[in-house]
Amino acid sequence: QVQLVESGGGFVQAGGSLRLSCVASGTRFSINDMGWYRQAPGKQRELVASITTGGITNYADSMKGRFTISRDNAKNTVYLQMNSLKPEDTAVYYCKSEERVSPRRTAWGQGTQVTVSS
C-alpha cells in the first residue's frame, strides 16, 4: 500500500511563503513521477506542478515564477516551495504519486489546507 503524508500547510498573508512536504512510503520513490494538485471549494482539482523521475518539472501557468517543485530521493520526499502567495492560491493541496513501471500504482495524500489572506 502506497502512503503519502503531507505537511507544511497553514495560514499566511498575501505575499508570504510556505513550503509543503510530502513523504512517500510503500513504493520505491525513485520510480514515481510526483505532483502537487489543489482544490478550492466549489472548484475542480487542478494540477499545480509535477516532477518526473528524471527531475523534469512542469507548472500551471498561474504558478510559474512563484512556485518551485523539487524532490529528494534519499528522503523519499517531494517539496513545493510557494512564494508571493495570493488569496486565489487558497485551497486544499494534495500530493500525488504514480509509478512508471508495473503495476503503475497511483496514490494521493490526505490534503493540507493553505489559506492566504489579503
Side-chain angles (χ1 to χ4, degrees):
Q1 182 179 358
V2 181
Q3 184 176 9
L4 306 177
V5 179
E6 299 161 309
S7 62
F11 297 83
V12 296
Q13 293 184 341
S17 299
L18 285 174
R19 188 181 74 160
L20 307 183
S21 299
C22 172
V23 180
S25 61
T27 181
R28 179 170 286 185
F29 185 76
S30 61
I31 68 169
N32 282 262
D33 290 337
M34 304 297 299
W36 288 96
Y37 294 72
R38 70 185 185 186
Q39 187 168 25
K43 296 184 178 180
Q44 293 186 323
R45 190 170 299 185
E46 64 176 343
L47 174 70
V48 175
S50 64
I51 184 167
T52 69
T53 58
I56 304 300
T57 59
N58 182 64
Y59 299 91
D61 287 342
S62 62
M63 268 65 79
K64 290 181 179 178
R66 299 189 299 123
F67 291 7
T68 303
I69 188 171
S70 61
R71 66 191 295 159
D72 187 339
N73 286 353
K75 297 181 178 179
N76 294 344
T77 302
V78 62
Y79 304 95
L80 183 68
Q81 178 67 48
M82 304 186 292
N83 301 134
S84 301
L85 284 163
K86 305 174 181 179
E88 50 262 46
D89 295 320
T90 296
V92 178
Y93 284 71
Y94 297 90
C95 179
K96 179 193 175 184
S97 64
E98 182 177 1
E99 296 173 334
R100 293 194 60 166
V101 298
S102 180
R104 294 186 173 88
R105 295 174 296 176
T106 296
W108 291 88
Q110 78 285 354
T112 184
Q113 177 70 47
V114 172
T115 302
V116 184
S117 61
S118 61

